[in-house]
Amino acid sequence: GGLVEHPFKLGYAQVTEMPSVKKDVLLICPGFFAYHASWEGVSVAKLLEMAGVSPDATHVSFSGPKEGYEKTERFPMADVLSDKVFLAYGVNGSALPKKHGFPLRVVAEDYYGGDWVKYVYKITANKS
């Protein structure tokens, strides 16, 4: 949603059938843990292209979970378009576990884990 020509919704099966992004990225939660893993998911850049993102959009916001504590984080468009920030549905060759954000979680290379939104249900292109 947001600054796009054609907002749309996708089901989990549709997302997992799209061409995938696979990256080894270190998840760091300072003072708690570090987890180096191979993440697999979908390029948000591709989703934005499908939606017809406006050239005025400078950031992308990710929201989750839908019920209870809702969290939204914003990332610069450049990080999203380069797949430095993408949506994961798998980790280390398996489906993403529920406790790690199934069905979709943000993977954000070079950002701390507190910025990696779990249980993503909404993506919004916006301006700063």
Side-chain angles (χ1 to χ4, degrees), residues 83-116:
D83 288 334
K84 188 174 180 178
V85 175
F86 66 98
L87 288 175
Y89 50 73
V91 61
N92 294 331
S94 298
L96 191 66
K98 176 91 171 149
K99 72 177 184 173
H100 291 296
F102 179 86
L104 295 170
R105 78 163 304 144
V106 169
V107 171
E109 192 173 352
D110 299 332
Y111 291 85
Y112 285 125
D115 296 330
W116 293 32

Side-chain angles (χ1 to χ4, degrees), residues 29-108:
C29 290
F32 295 101
F33 67 89
Y35 180 58
H36 190 256
S38 179
W39 303 92
E40 181 176 4
V42 64
S43 169
V44 178
K46 179 65 177 165
L47 298 175
L48 292 173
E49 178 185 318
M50 291 167 57
V53 68
S54 167
D56 293 337
T58 59
H59 289 79
V60 178
S61 298
F62 299 86
S63 299
K66 209 171 188 177
E67 299 167 4
Y69 171 72
E70 182 162 346
K71 175 184 179 89
T72 299
E73 293 289 341
R74 288 172 36 135
F75 297 91
M77 187 64 74
D79 288 348
V80 173
L81 295 179
S82 69
D83 288 334
K84 188 174 180 178
V85 175
F86 66 98
L87 288 175
Y89 50 73
V91 61
N92 294 331
S94 298
L96 191 66
K98 176 91 171 149
K99 72 177 184 173
H100 291 296
F102 179 86
L104 295 170
R105 78 163 304 144
V106 169
V107 171

